[in-house]
Amino acid sequence: MLHAGYARSHEHNQLHIVGPADPEGLPALADEVMAFLPHRRITVHDEALGLLCVPALERAGYSHMTEVLMVHTGPVPEATAADVVERELGPDPHGPLRRAVTAQQRRWMPDADERTVHDLVERRTARRAGAEEVLFLAAHDDSGEVASWADLYLEPAAGIAQIEEVATAEPYLRRGHADAVLTAALRRAAAAGCGLRFLVADQDDWPLRWYGRRGFTAIGRAHAFSRF
């Protein structure tokens, strides 16, 4: 997958390995395919193959992260009282969703240049092609500022929904905004007839346990490798 329009987005510029591969040959393959990019990113979707790739890719300077595939097996939660609506980036450079995501991106990556921040915010435009229906959900504070957000990808014909990038702006942490957004995503997915509802979480980060307490169960793992 390559998207030159968002060159700093690893999400849109990476190799996806979904079949047999030679671990020793992957660094050279990535260099060939991603030569115009400042980074390298390889995701191996087979759990066993991914583990076999760790030594070769670490020798080539890659860092390794395990991503956990989690399926929602709990009941669909009751609606919250929080105001969660569908938001677009829209044409306004100072719109509420863009403003919130940009500010938080700078908190996460204080040393990032403007091009990197731009690509990581604006790549949501490219995500529109990720499913039959794509919704950007946002919860707000009392003044209308976006406090938390998430992407929801719906394929009603297949009965599948994916929830991605549940995030909360740092000034609003631990106030229930992320719970409201996740609940809204699960309820919209169920209403669309999507019985299979899933997400991906970092195995070594705290959201894995947070999702587990909200009815998500780990069913598989992929391995992601990055080099800068």
Side-chain angles (χ1 to χ4, degrees):
M1 172 191 291
L2 297 174
H3 197 307
Y6 303 102
R8 306 297 177 87
S9 172
H10 294 196
E11 171 191 338
H12 292 96
N13 293 277
Q14 62 173 305
L15 292 180
H16 289 281
I17 306 301
V18 296
D22 171 21
E24 298 291 341
L26 287 180
L29 178 61
D31 286 343
E32 177 184 352
V33 174
M34 306 175 71
F36 69 98
L37 294 166
H39 71 272
R40 302 290 183 265
R41 169 84 173 200
I42 303 169
T43 298
V44 182
H45 293 274
D46 180 272
E47 184 171 357
L49 176 60
L51 288 172
L52 292 176
C53 290
V54 172
L57 288 170
E58 287 188 341
R59 284 196 302 271
Y62 283 78
S63 61
H64 170 228
M65 180 180 74
T66 302
E67 297 180 329
V68 181
L69 177 63
M70 306 187 79
V71 170
H72 188 249
T73 56
V76 177
E78 295 294 326
T80 68
D83 173 31
V84 177
V85 301
E86 297 167 22
R87 280 284 188 188
E88 297 285 349
L89 285 183
D92 181 1
H94 304 294
L97 180 57
R98 181 182 279 105
R99 184 167 61 245
V101 174
T102 300
Q104 186 57 41
Q105 196 65 57
R106 288 184 171 131
R107 294 186 189 101
W108 284 329
M109 303 175 66
D111 298 325
D113 59 29
E114 287 303 308
R115 174 63 190 275
T116 298
V117 173
H118 171 275
D119 285 3
L120 296 180
V121 173
E122 301 300 327
R123 66 186 178 182
R124 278 163 180 76
T125 303
R127 290 177 180 174
R128 276 284 173 213
E132 180 181 338
E133 185 177 1
V134 180
L135 304 177
F136 303 138
L137 304 178
H140 304 78
D141 67 5
D142 293 339
S143 69
E145 289 297 311
V146 171
S148 187
W149 56 89
D151 300 351
L152 176 61
Y153 300 84
L154 300 171
E155 292 285 354
I160 299 173
Q162 180 179 5
I163 300 167
E164 276 299 315
E165 199 169 334
V166 179
T168 300
E170 285 182 15
Y172 300 99
L173 292 174
R174 298 178 181 86
R175 300 187 193 179
H177 294 294
D179 261 315
V181 169
L182 182 62
T183 293
L186 290 169
R187 290 181 62 80
R188 281 168 167 79
C194 297
L196 175 57
R197 301 177 288 275
F198 76 96
L199 52 78
V200 176
D202 181 348
Q203 178 171 274
D204 299 320
D205 207 354
W206 67 265
L208 182 75
R209 298 180 293 278
W210 188 83
Y211 290 126
R213 294 193 298 270
R214 285 153 180 83
F216 285 85
T217 301
I219 63 167
R221 287 165 175 78
H223 296 270
F225 301 90
S226 298
R227 193 184 76 196
F228 300 93

